[in-house]
Amino acid sequence: MCVSPVNTIRDLSGHSGCRVMLCQAGGDPFIRKQSTSFAYNERLKRQLLKQKHFNMDAVRTPAVLGAGYDGGFFYFDMEYIPARKMAESIEHLDIEDILHFLDMLFESLPLRRKKPGARAAALFSRKIGAVTRNLPRREATVLEAVRKLRNFDFSTVPHSYCCGDLTLENILVTENRRIYLIDFLDSFYNSWMIDVAKLFQDLEFRWSYRSLPKDIHRELKLRIAKEVLVKKVVDLEEGVSKLYMIYHIILLNTLRILPYTHDTPTLRYLDRTMGDVMKRIDVIKEYL
Ligand SMILES: Nc1ncnc2c1ncn2[C@@H]1O[C@H](COP(=O)(O)OP(=O)(O)OP(=O)(O)O)[C@@H](O)[C@H]1O
Ligand SMILES: [Mg+2]
């Protein structure tokens, strides 16, 4: 923990109930992530623990430097990584580089973990119940998504370490081609499949780009990366079943966002994605 007075150099974007600041206290700059409500304190603590226990082969995470409270709000400090977000870098990177990073990420996931958590079915069922109760709209597509989720057997989702929010926004790429993961999420269930689902949300459904104008270079690179990711999953043992499960997790994620969404680009994203994910689920089912 820092002993010199902490200066906030600038605020960085932070949409998930936290304030993220670039700070300095005498020496090198560092990042402080702070809860903005007392209610969020415990969640941020769990996220900090996830970051501390991070253990992937070729991928890193910023070192945690300390933690504490400021005005009753929990915060933790971490190493500042001078890097660009993968979401922004994708337009500038060669496709070979993108595939290299995808390789590093995928191979670092605990893919060989097969054992489900004892309470997998109960936790997913509880989540689906909570999401359904919260739904602001109940038109045909939404009801069909709920039906698909209720009918799906989540009891065999492998239980393993995961980051929880592996979008391209939360992957930092340094100049010397190192990858750092940030913004760990305390998920209701931990599985590497949740991370792969988040990757698909960007590579196939463009979650991180929903508010940006289309860009042909980005589009082509994302398409290639998505096809490569599909192949990687399908090539795993019982790969098609795994892919089928991952697309159900994407569907659940999509539905989960609906109650919190008020902006037009995100509403459009959700409408489009829900239908597209269900079409994909139906196609994959034919190969089971
Ligand atoms: N250790 C770090 N080094 C460098 N930049 C960082 C670091 N941690 C966070 N950032 C920057 O701050 C931004 C927001 O951080 P983070 O993703 O953890 O917060 P968030 O509250 O989830 O925000 P968002 O909803 O925008 O993802 C990141 O996208 C990244 O640009
Ligand atoms: Mg983030």
Side-chain angles (χ1 to χ4, degrees):
M1 213 179 306
C2 298
V3 279
S4 320
V6 172
N7 295 317
T8 303
I9 302 172
R10 67 189 159 91
D11 270 81
L12 304 169
S13 73
H15 307 297
S16 57
C18 288
R19 190 176 166 200
V20 183
M21 298 158 274
L22 178 62
C23 298
Q24 199 153 24
D28 291 334
F30 62 92
I31 296 285
R32 175 164 290 187
K33 188 159 187 176
Q34 181 164 21
S35 173
T36 50
S37 72
F38 298 138
Y40 204 85
N41 281 353
E42 291 307 310
R43 287 200 62 184
L44 189 60
K45 276 187 207 169
R46 289 198 292 271
Q47 293 164 15
L48 157 65
L49 285 178
K50 235 178 166 181
Q51 183 162 341
K52 265 190 157 173
H53 294 142
F54 175 86
N55 179 17
M56 281 191 182
D57 288 346
V59 183
R60 301 160 188 233
T61 190
V64 175
L65 307 172
Y69 285 87
D70 184 355
F73 298 113
F74 181 73
Y75 69 81
F76 71 91
D77 295 339
M78 65 182 129
E79 187 187 0
Y80 166 64
I81 309 298
R84 289 174 87 157
K85 296 184 221 179
M86 178 75 96
E88 290 166 3
S89 305
I90 216 139
E91 285 156 48
H92 313 286
L93 289 168
D94 292 339
I95 189 69
E96 287 79 14
D97 284 331
I98 296 167
L99 297 184
H100 166 72
F101 291 136
L102 190 60
D103 246 24
M104 274 165 74
L105 272 172
F106 191 76
E107 300 308 329
S108 292
L109 294 172
L111 302 166
R112 266 151 276 288
R113 294 297 292 268
K114 287 188 201 152
K115 211 170 162 241
R119 299 183 57 232
L123 290 172
F124 273 91
S125 157
R126 196 164 75 184
K127 192 52 153 185
I128 294 163
V131 169
T132 310
R133 280 193 296 280
N134 267 336
L135 286 173
R137 298 156 29 193
R138 284 167 193 277
E139 70 262 23
T141 328
V142 174
L143 293 178
E144 174 60 11
V146 171
R147 195 191 62 77
K148 274 195 155 51
L149 290 172
R150 284 206 174 127
N151 288 342
F152 187 74
D153 177 10
F154 286 96
S155 67
T156 56
V157 178
H159 191 246
S160 78
Y161 180 84
C162 74
C163 309
D165 197 14
L166 193 59
T167 67
L168 300 186
E169 287 274 324
N170 292 328
I171 302 172
L172 302 181
V173 184
T174 69
E175 254 183 29
N176 51 5
R177 292 161 52 97
R178 286 207 174 117
I179 288 192
Y180 283 81
L181 305 188
I182 56 166
D183 204 3
F184 293 72
L185 194 70
D186 49 324
S187 325
F188 70 97
Y189 189 79
N190 290 315
S191 172
W192 58 265
M193 284 192 179
I194 290 185
D195 283 347
V196 176
K198 290 280 173 132
L199 282 176
F200 274 118
Q201 276 174 238
D202 268 338
L203 298 181
E204 181 165 7
F205 303 107
R206 320 285 186 262
W207 164 252
S208 295
Y209 304 99
R210 65 196 182 282
S211 306
L212 297 179
K214 285 193 170 181
D215 177 284
I216 185 72
H217 300 291
R218 182 176 72 218
E219 186 63 27
L220 292 174
K221 287 173 189 173
L222 289 173
R223 275 187 192 207
I224 296 170
K226 176 233 143 183
E227 292 306 334
V228 170
L229 186 58
V230 169
K231 179 160 170 28
K232 282 179 181 298
V233 176
V234 169
D235 285 349
L236 295 171
E237 193 186 330
E238 294 181 38
V240 180
S241 304
K242 288 189 168 102
L243 193 68
Y244 194 55
M245 198 167 259
I246 288 167
Y247 273 80
H248 280 85
I249 295 173
I250 304 174
L251 188 60
L252 177 56
N253 285 346
T254 311
L255 218 56
R256 278 170 77 184
I257 311 167
L258 203 56
Y260 309 102
T261 302
H262 305 290
D263 64 296
T264 312
T266 310
L267 283 169
R268 266 201 218 118
Y269 164 89
L270 292 177
D271 283 342
R272 177 172 43 82
T273 301
M274 221 179 301
D276 289 352
V277 176
M278 288 195 283
K279 277 186 212 147
R280 292 282 287 158
I281 286 176
D282 291 342
V283 171
I284 302 166
K285 194 176 181 188
E286 289 173 23
Y287 293 87
L288 285 173

